[in-house]
Amino acid sequence: MTLAEVDGLPLTSPAYTFASLGSLPLHHLVALGDYFVRQYREGVGRPSTGMAQLASVSQLRDAVGLGRWHGSVRLRLALDLVREDAWSPRESQLRVTLVQAGLPEPELNVDLFDDCGHFLGCIDMVYREYKVAIEYQGEQHSSTYARDVERIERMRACGWVVLQVTKELLARPNVLVARVAGELRGRGWSR
């Protein structure tokens, strides 16, 4: 067990913490893993660039491999779904829902530009080949509503289909998957 000390209190490492939480639902484990391994890369629309990640995927994998954890099968499945560029727990849940339904895995948090090189926005999930984008619209987006609307309209003007997902839609995974699959098929994807 790797311990760290914060303000005099001993804490487990992010990797060990991840491994000890195997009883959580899969999408919660993936969101936690995504948070721990997030890479704060440079880019136009990227916040906190240069900040260090809390753990690497290999550190998570090593911690899970240390012993017999409760939910070890779920932990290993979660590890296969953890990504370094996810920005929120809801985005992680959304991605897991789509991938487990057999849809292709989208690129995450992509800086998109138009044909002239103008920045369109940093988009939550992108199927670049099909020009289909997905934006999760959480309640915190109410303060950026006008900016979000303009960004989405710029994308649509450039030929992108933009699906907006809310907590209500995420709670209805069959409807969500059908919408995304329908747009992908309409743009040439076939399963």
Side-chain angles (χ1 to χ4, degrees), residues 11 26 50 90 98 104 130 133 135 142-143 153 155 185:
L11 302 172
L26 179 65
R90 297 284 189 199
L98 298 175
Y130 306 107
E135 285 282 275
S142 63
S143 63
E153 291 308 313
M155 291 183 59
R185 283 189 191 102

Side-chain angles (χ1 to χ4, degrees), residues 13-16 18 32-39 52-64 79 82-84:
S13 69
Y16 188 84
F18 175 83
L32 181 63
D34 285 351
Y35 174 75
F36 285 154
V37 305
R38 180 175 173 192
Q39 298 246 346
Q53 69 183 152
L54 298 172
S56 67
V57 174
S58 64
Q59 288 171 326
L60 297 184
R61 198 171 301 286
D62 289 347
V64 168
L79 279 170
V82 167
R83 300 295 178 263
E84 294 179 334

Side-chain angles (χ1 to χ4, degrees), residues 4-19:
E5 194 169 298
V6 177
D7 295 332
L9 296 172
L11 302 172
T12 60
S13 69
Y16 188 84
T17 300
F18 175 83

Side-chain angles (χ1 to χ4, degrees), residues 120-135:
L120 294 173
C122 186
I123 310 306
D124 294 342
M125 296 181 193
V126 170
Y127 293 102
R128 195 182 306 259
E129 179 181 352
Y130 306 107
K131 287 190 95 169
V132 172
I134 302 170
E135 285 282 275

Side-chain angles (χ1 to χ4, degrees), residues 98-114:
L98 298 175
V99 170
Q100 287 196 309
L103 294 173
E105 185 164 340
E107 293 178 67
L108 304 178
N109 293 296
V110 177
D111 286 342
L112 287 182
F113 299 86
D114 67 14

